[in-house]
């Protein structure tokens, strides 16, 4: 288990709670942009990225590191807060991620999950930047399936895998239905 924590107080809290000395846990202080490139190749079975307060260029930078870090068959997911206020733009953003990750050797799906508390729930009253504006969250699930044309830098040649999700997401973004299940 590897944790990269950039916030000094959260890092201190994790250290105080003993995470720095737990067997099988590597706790790094710093931004992922500095830490991840130093880690060994093919060293992760799964990577979860909390993309909150990061922008598209940060996510793209991380995506280009994934083929180096993940083992073949490894899973990648992230907090999907992309375009949360607009269903159309959220569908477009999800499709962009599908295409980007496909070029890097991933097969990506977004699984719809019903949220327990609807977005108008009192828990959100007074919160300026809500996480969700819908009663459905689209959980990203990307599996790294490198081909002979996939490199650690993420360059991908012709003949990569395609998936049915792309057409479904594009149709949803164009108003043709819901995001894919």
């Amino acid at each position: 288990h590897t944790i990269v924590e950039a916030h000094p107080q959260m890092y201190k809290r994790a250290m105080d709670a003993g995470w720095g000395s737990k067997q099988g846990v590597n706790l790094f202080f710093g931004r992922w942009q500095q830490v991840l490139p130093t880690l060994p190749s093919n060293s992760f079975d799964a990577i979860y990225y909390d993309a909150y307060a990061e922008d598209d260029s940060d996510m793209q930078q991380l995506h280009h590191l994934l083929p180096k870090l993940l083992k073949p068959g490894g899973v990648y997911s992230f907090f999907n807060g992309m375009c949360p206020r607009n269903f159309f733009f959220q569908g477009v953003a999800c499709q962009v991620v599908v295409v980007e990750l496909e070029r890097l050797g991933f097969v990506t799906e977004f699984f719809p999950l019903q949220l327990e508390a609807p977005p108008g729930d009192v828990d959100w009253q007074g919160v300026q930047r809500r996480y969700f504006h819908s009663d459905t969250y689209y959980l990203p699930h990307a599996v790294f399936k490198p081909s002979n044309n996939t490199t650690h830098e993420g360059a991908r040649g012709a003949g990569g895998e395609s998936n049915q999700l792309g057409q479904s997401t594009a149709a949803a973004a164009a108003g043709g239905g819901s995001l894919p299940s």
Side-chain angles (χ1 to χ4, degrees), residues 61-143:
Q61 183 181 357
L62 174 75
H63 288 171
H64 285 277
L65 292 173
L66 294 175
K68 173 192 175 273
L69 296 170
L70 279 172
K71 297 175 185 176
V75 174
Y76 164 63
S77 188
F78 58 92
F79 169 74
N80 182 7
M82 301 182 301
C83 306
R85 294 174 186 87
N86 185 296
F87 182 74
F88 173 82
F89 289 123
Q90 186 177 49
V92 171
C94 290
Q95 177 58 23
V96 168
V97 169
V98 168
V99 170
E100 180 180 336
L101 290 175
E102 183 178 43
R103 289 182 184 144
L104 297 171
F106 289 83
V107 175
T108 306
E109 298 179 81
F110 285 84
F111 295 103
L113 302 173
Q114 290 303 124
L115 299 176
E116 290 182 19
D121 190 78
V122 293
D123 291 339
W124 291 106
Q125 290 181 3
V127 176
Q128 289 183 358
R129 193 167 180 189
R130 296 167 33 176
Y131 279 4
F132 305 108
H133 294 267
S134 170
D135 60 357
T136 305
Y137 174 76
Y138 295 95
L139 175 68
H141 182 264
V143 179

Side-chain angles (χ1 to χ4, degrees), residues 133-180:
H133 294 267
S134 170
D135 60 357
T136 305
Y137 174 76
Y138 295 95
L139 175 68
H141 182 264
V143 179
F144 184 45
K145 296 187 175 187
S147 69
N148 293 336
N149 297 327
T150 303
T151 68
H152 285 299
E153 290 76 37
R156 188 173 173 91
E161 293 182 55
S162 63
N163 65 40
Q164 191 174 351
L165 180 66
Q167 295 85 14
S168 300
T169 308
S178 61
L179 284 172

